[in-house]
């Protein structure tokens, strides 16, 4: 069965996380993704990860987590030969993705206006920290900077005045997901409107703001800044409680669930009939719930509450999560079967959704820098002599 993006060619000039993750999402759904890197200054994620030996050979786990199914082409875009090869490549593409400072590709003569003349069907996606417009457009940033700038960190933590970033780079991954969705949208629109491409402008800051939309809406209505409250929620029946061994989360969110919780715990006297009563009774409810939960283990309460349709989960570490049968059942983590690769058997997250007829799949191992350079350049019309000359000039590897 054909994949959703079969026969779609994506040129990926991105680096680090958000951009590579966006193109990776297209790659696992069938797109031909060609990752273009400088031969002397490749994606810095290649040098990052928990295994120094892999970092030393440019195959760090930070890179490999989102590099499967991609071909790699080494081009130095600061050379005329490299720019010419890129133009040839873009003329064959459906999608071009970059995540450098706004204006950088225009300065190289590879901006959207120039490339859309070369290839009118091209969908050109630019990912940046603050977007291509506005007074901060030329500033660069990473996930942690955007978490701080956006206000996200100021509302995260335990309310002791110390801001806290998310343990995972949520802005980066959300930006990559947003970019992949935007590209999919543009491809769909291109099919409906006669094959014309368009420019996509993705801002990490915009993504961060969307991630806490409800808080922004509340602030814009009443002017009250969302304060950091740790694991405390407006309703006491939602939150983190200490069992006799480890902490756990409980989420008796709506009125029916809080009634079911107090009934199951044989504390019908705590049941409220409206949410205002729950807000006013927070302190009392929290104290009662804490005293009950600490009498049993988290595993006991997780089973007890879930059996009664009350959401609950013990706080788990990575090794416990990865060993849980639910993970295997969903196929979101896949094992790379590529015997010729030095990373055969690599396990990587793939996609956060399943398609019944064309599921996401990894089938090509992450590649060294420029592994397909000669193959791709020949496809673009370069001879062996041309490629040798480009190597002499440092335009490829």
């Amino acid at each position: 069965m054909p994949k959703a993006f079969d026969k779609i060619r994506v040129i990926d000039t991105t680096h680090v996380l958000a951009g590579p993750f966006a193109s990776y999402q297209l790659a696992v759904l069938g797109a031909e993704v060609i990752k273009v890197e400088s031969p002397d200054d490749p994606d810095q994620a290649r040098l990052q990860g928990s295994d120094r030996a892999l970092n030393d050979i440019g195959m760090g786990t930070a890179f490999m987590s989102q590099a499967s199914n991609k071909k790699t082409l080494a081009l130095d875009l600061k050379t005329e030969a490299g720019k010419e090869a890129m133009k040839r490549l873009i003329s064959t593409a459906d999608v071009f993705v970059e995540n450098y400072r706004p204006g950088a590709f225009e300065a190289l003569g590879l901006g959207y206006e120039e490339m859309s003349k070369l290839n009118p069907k091209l969908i050109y996606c630019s990912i940046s920290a603050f977007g291509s417009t506005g007074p901060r457009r030329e500033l660069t940033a990473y996930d942690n900077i955007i978490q701080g700038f956006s206000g996200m960190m100021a509302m995260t933590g335990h309310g002791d005045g110390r801001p806290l970033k998310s343990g995972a780079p949520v802005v980066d991954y959300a930006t990559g997901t947003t970019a992949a969705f935007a590209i999919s949208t543009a491809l769909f629109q291109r099919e409906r409107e006669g094959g014309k491409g368009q420019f996509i402008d993705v801002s990490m800051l915009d993504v961060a703001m969307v991630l806490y939309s409800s808080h922004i809406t509340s602030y814009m209505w009443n002017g009250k800044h969302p304060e950091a409250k740790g694991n405390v929620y407006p309703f006491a029946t939602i939150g983190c409680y200490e069992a006799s061994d480890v902490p756990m989360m409980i989420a008796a969110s709506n009125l029916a669930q809080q009634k079911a919780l107090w009934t199951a715990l044989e504390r019908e006297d705590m049941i409220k009939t409206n949410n205002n009563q729950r807000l006013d009774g927070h302190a009392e409810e929290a104290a009662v719930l804490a005293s009950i939960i600490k009498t049993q283990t988290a595993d006991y309460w997780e089973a007890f509450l879930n059996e009664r349709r009350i959401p609950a989960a013990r706080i788990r570490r990575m090794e416990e999560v990865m060993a849980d049968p639910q993970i295997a059942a969903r196929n979101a983590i896949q094992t790379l079967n590529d015997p010729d690769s030095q990373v055969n058997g690599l396990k990587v997250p793939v996609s956060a959704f399943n398609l019944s007829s064309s599921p996401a799949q990894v089938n090509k191992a992450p590649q060294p820098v420029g592994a397909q350079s000669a193959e791709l350049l020949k496809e673009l019309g370069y001879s062996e002599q041309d490629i040798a000359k480009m190597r002499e000039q440092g335009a490829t590897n």
Side-chain angles (χ1 to χ4, degrees):
M1 178 71 69
K3 299 290 186 184
F5 295 116
D6 277 356
K7 299 182 180 179
I8 296 295
R9 171 170 276 192
V10 179
I11 311 306
D12 172 11
T13 64
T14 65
H15 57 118
V16 190
L17 202 166
F21 184 74
S23 65
Y24 175 60
Q25 291 300 287
L26 304 177
V28 298
L29 290 167
E32 179 195 21
V33 175
I34 300 171
K35 182 175 178 64
V36 180
E37 303 171 86
S38 169
D40 299 320
D41 186 23
D43 187 345
Q44 70 183 64
R46 288 182 175 274
L47 311 179
Q48 299 171 354
S50 57
D51 186 320
R52 291 190 179 186
L54 288 176
N55 297 344
D56 290 343
I57 62 171
M59 297 294 283
T61 54
F63 167 75
M64 292 197 298
S65 65
Q66 55 211 11
S68 296
N69 293 13
K70 299 181 183 181
K71 299 175 182 178
T72 67
L73 168 61
L75 287 178
D76 185 347
L77 299 181
K78 295 179 181 178
T79 66
E80 289 304 315
K83 283 189 283 189
E84 175 56 33
M86 175 60 85
K87 289 178 181 178
R88 288 198 198 183
L89 187 61
I90 289 175
S91 70
T92 71
D94 296 283
V95 178
F96 177 79
V97 193
E98 60 90 4
N99 67 341
Y100 288 82
R101 176 180 53 80
F105 273 78
E106 283 82 356
L108 292 171
L110 298 170
Y112 173 66
E113 294 300 327
E114 296 91 337
M115 294 304 97
S116 64
K117 294 174 185 175
L118 180 67
N119 180 359
K121 73 173 185 177
L122 184 69
I123 292 164
Y124 191 115
C125 180
S126 177
I127 304 169
S128 60
F130 295 93
S132 66
T133 57
R136 299 181 185 272
R137 67 183 295 270
E138 294 189 3
L139 298 182
T140 57
Y142 291 96
D143 176 278
N144 63 324
I145 302 300
I146 298 299
Q147 284 199 38
F149 182 94
S150 67
M152 186 178 292
M153 283 179 63
M155 52 184 280
T156 307
H158 289 280
D160 57 3
R162 293 179 296 172
L164 186 68
K165 74 173 184 65
S166 169
V170 293
V171 174
D172 268 334
Y173 281 116
T175 299
T177 302
T178 299
F181 174 62
I183 291 168
S184 302
T185 301
L187 285 168
F188 179 71
Q189 186 171 6
R190 190 180 74 176
E191 287 299 304
R192 299 182 70 179
E193 298 187 2
K196 183 173 175 55
Q198 63 180 299
F199 179 72
I200 299 171
D201 178 7
V202 181
S203 158
M204 292 175 68
L205 177 61
D206 292 349
V207 171
M209 305 303 280
V210 169
L211 284 178
Y212 63 101
S213 296
S214 62
H215 296 83
I216 289 176
T217 303
S218 177
Y219 171 77
M220 296 303 290
W221 179 255
N222 59 34
K224 294 181 180 179
H225 187 277
E227 300 297 335
K229 295 182 179 179
N231 296 318
V232 177
Y233 287 74
F235 302 141
T237 55
I238 311 173
C240 188
Y241 288 92
E242 294 283 343
S244 63
D245 52 355
V246 296
M248 66 175 301
M249 291 297 290
I250 298 173
S253 179
N254 58 45
L255 285 168
Q257 288 169 333
Q258 66 91 31
K259 181 179 180 180
L261 173 65
W262 292 122
T263 300
L265 298 178
E266 299 182 353
R267 287 301 305 263
E268 289 86 348
D269 58 303
M270 302 302 296
I271 295 172
K272 305 298 189 295
T273 58
N274 62 64
N275 284 334
N276 286 334
Q277 292 175 354
R278 298 173 74 192
L279 292 172
D280 295 339
H282 187 287
E284 181 187 11
E285 288 189 34
V288 171
L289 196 51
S291 67
I292 295 172
I293 297 302
K294 70 181 181 182
T295 63
Q296 297 286 351
T297 66
D299 280 338
Y300 170 85
W301 287 120
E302 182 176 278
F304 177 89
L305 295 172
N306 282 322
E307 285 173 3
R308 290 158 178 80
R309 302 291 185 183
I310 300 164
R314 173 169 55 83
I315 305 300
R316 286 164 165 76
R317 288 176 52 83
M318 183 75 73
E319 61 268 20
E320 297 176 273
V321 177
M322 298 309 298
D324 195 281
Q326 181 65 25
I327 301 300
R330 295 297 299 161
N331 204 36
I333 311 294
Q334 295 182 17
T335 302
L336 194 64
N337 181 18
D338 191 341
D340 296 329
S341 168
Q342 61 185 332
V343 294
N344 181 46
L346 177 72
K347 294 181 184 294
V348 291
V350 180
S351 177
F353 59 87
N354 285 318
L355 295 173
S356 61
S357 63
S358 55
Q361 185 176 1
V362 292
N363 48 42
K364 184 182 185 67
Q367 301 289 295
V369 179
Q372 286 76 38
S373 290
E375 168 194 330
L376 290 165
L377 289 171
K378 287 178 183 177
E379 180 194 314
L380 295 173
Y382 289 88
S383 66
E384 292 279 3
Q385 293 76 16
D386 294 331
I387 297 171
K389 186 175 181 180
M390 289 177 69
R391 285 176 180 146
E392 289 176 5
Q393 297 171 338
T396 191
N397 64 356

